[in-house]
Amino acid sequence: MKHKKETEDFNTEEPQTPRHTEDFNTEEPQTPRHTGSDGVMIRRSRAAAVVFVLLCVLLLTARIILCATFTQERQQLKTKITNLTQERDQLLTDNMNLTEERQQLLTNNRNLKEERDQLKSERIDLQKKFADGLKCHQSTLYFFSSEKKNWTESRRYCRERGADLIIINNREEQDFVGNISVGSGHFWIGLTDVEEEDRWKWVDGSTLTSGFWKSGQPNNQGNEDCVNTHSSGWFDTECDSSLKWICEKSILK
């Protein structure tokens, strides 16, 4: 009986659904845990992309600015170089001009020294040639002859010695000649009207404008076409007359 009861009890027991099946059928679908992390990653990626684009824009802008600044500075540098080159060329030109001027001054100075030495030499020669008759007044040497010749020969004598018959330009020179010639007679001077009557000309070709004639001179008697000086003044005389003469030479020429 006891066995039978146990059989009944066994038969009356309700069949049970396996737990794992029930649990499987009743479980609700779940969203994967990593879905929130993906959203954050997407937002971060977008933000990074925006930052990257902004950085690219900034870099491009900076590059454009730097390029423009570099171009401007390069142009300014080229302008400065051009200006400096022009200034250098101008300085070189000025230096060259100054060098040429210096050389010209040196040449002029050398020429002046040579002329000075030449004048000294000529003065010495004149002193030797004219001996005791040589006189000096201001910047001119005068030779008062002691012998006599006609006007043409007297002039030839002077010219052969680098001088010429005297040209009296002013009262001071006339007084100088007159004081020396006192008591020495008459001396030929470089004045004549042999080319045209009454048109008195000096030996350098200039025309007489005013003179120091003796009262009553020139009297134009005969062929008195040449002039001599005396302490009392000038006289017109025949050119073939034999008189002393005065040679003149500037020491500045």
Side-chain angles (χ1 to χ4, degrees):
M1 287 301 291
K2 184 178 179 179
H3 178 74
K4 185 177 178 181
K5 188 175 180 179
E6 291 174 354
T7 303
E8 287 178 355
D9 291 336
F10 177 80
N11 292 332
T12 58
E13 185 178 4
E14 293 181 358
Q16 296 180 356
T17 304
R19 289 182 180 180
H20 65 275
T21 303
E22 184 178 355
D23 291 340
F24 179 80
N25 292 332
T26 60
E27 186 177 3
E28 294 180 358
Q30 296 181 356
T31 303
R33 293 180 180 179
H34 61 273
T35 301
S37 298
D38 289 344
V40 172
M41 290 299 295
I42 291 171
R43 286 193 298 273
R44 288 180 179 177
S45 297
R46 289 177 179 174
V50 171
V51 171
F52 178 75
V53 170
L54 290 175
L55 286 175
C56 290
V57 172
L58 289 175
L59 288 174
L60 181 60
T61 303
R63 183 173 181 180
I64 292 173
I65 293 174
L66 287 174
C67 287
T69 303
F70 176 76
T71 301
Q72 183 178 5
E73 291 179 353
R74 183 180 65 179
Q75 186 61 39
Q76 291 176 350
L77 183 60
K78 289 176 66 177
T79 302
K80 290 180 180 179
I81 292 174
T82 301
N83 293 337
L84 289 174
T85 302
Q86 292 176 349
E87 291 178 3
R88 183 200 62 187
D89 293 342
Q90 184 62 44
L91 288 174
L92 290 173
T93 301
D94 292 343
N95 183 63
M96 183 173 63
N97 291 336
L98 289 174
T99 302
E100 291 177 353
E101 291 179 3
R102 175 178 174 275
Q103 187 61 40
Q104 185 62 43
L105 289 174
L106 291 174
T107 300
N108 292 340
N109 184 58
R110 183 171 62 252
N111 292 338
L112 288 173
K113 288 182 178 179
E114 292 176 354
E115 290 179 3
R116 181 196 63 188
D117 295 340
Q118 181 65 30
L119 288 173
K120 287 183 178 179
S121 177
E122 290 178 0
R123 181 174 182 176
I124 293 173
D125 290 341
L126 284 171
Q127 288 175 340
K128 292 179 180 179
K129 291 175 183 178
F130 294 158
D132 295 336
L134 189 66
K135 304 295 181 180
C136 183
H137 176 66
Q138 294 183 348
S139 60
T140 305
L141 293 174
Y142 300 89
F143 171 71
F144 292 78
S145 73
S146 58
E147 59 179 318
K148 296 181 179 181
K149 295 179 181 292
N150 63 39
W151 190 90
T152 301
E153 291 175 346
S154 297
R155 189 184 182 198
R156 182 183 299 115
Y157 180 95
C158 295
R159 290 173 64 84
E160 288 176 350
R161 289 158 178 77
D164 208 336
L165 286 174
I166 185 173
I167 297 174
I168 300 176
N169 295 303
N170 50 58
R171 169 57 66 178
E172 181 182 1
E173 190 172 20
Q174 174 64 26
D175 291 342
F176 165 76
V177 171
N179 291 333
I180 294 177
S181 63
V182 171
S184 299
H186 294 255
F187 291 83
W188 289 122
I189 64 175
L191 186 64
T192 178
D193 69 346
V194 67
E195 293 181 359
E196 183 179 345
E197 189 67 23
D198 291 332
R199 185 181 180 186
W200 299 97
K201 296 178 65 175
W202 292 106
V203 289
D204 65 353
S206 60
T207 301
L208 176 68
T209 56
S210 63
F212 304 98
W213 298 99
K214 170 70 174 177
S215 177
Q217 297 290 323
N219 55 23
N220 295 319
Q221 294 181 358
N223 296 320
E224 296 179 341
D225 295 327
C226 294
V227 179
N228 69 81
T229 186
H230 186 267
S231 58
S232 60
W234 297 354
F235 295 80
D236 61 336
T237 309
E238 292 184 3
C239 297
D240 290 336
S241 302
S242 292
L243 299 173
K244 298 176 183 179
W245 66 90
I246 304 173
C247 296
E248 175 187 51
K249 179 177 177 61
S250 174
I251 61 177
L252 298 180
K253 294 182 180 179

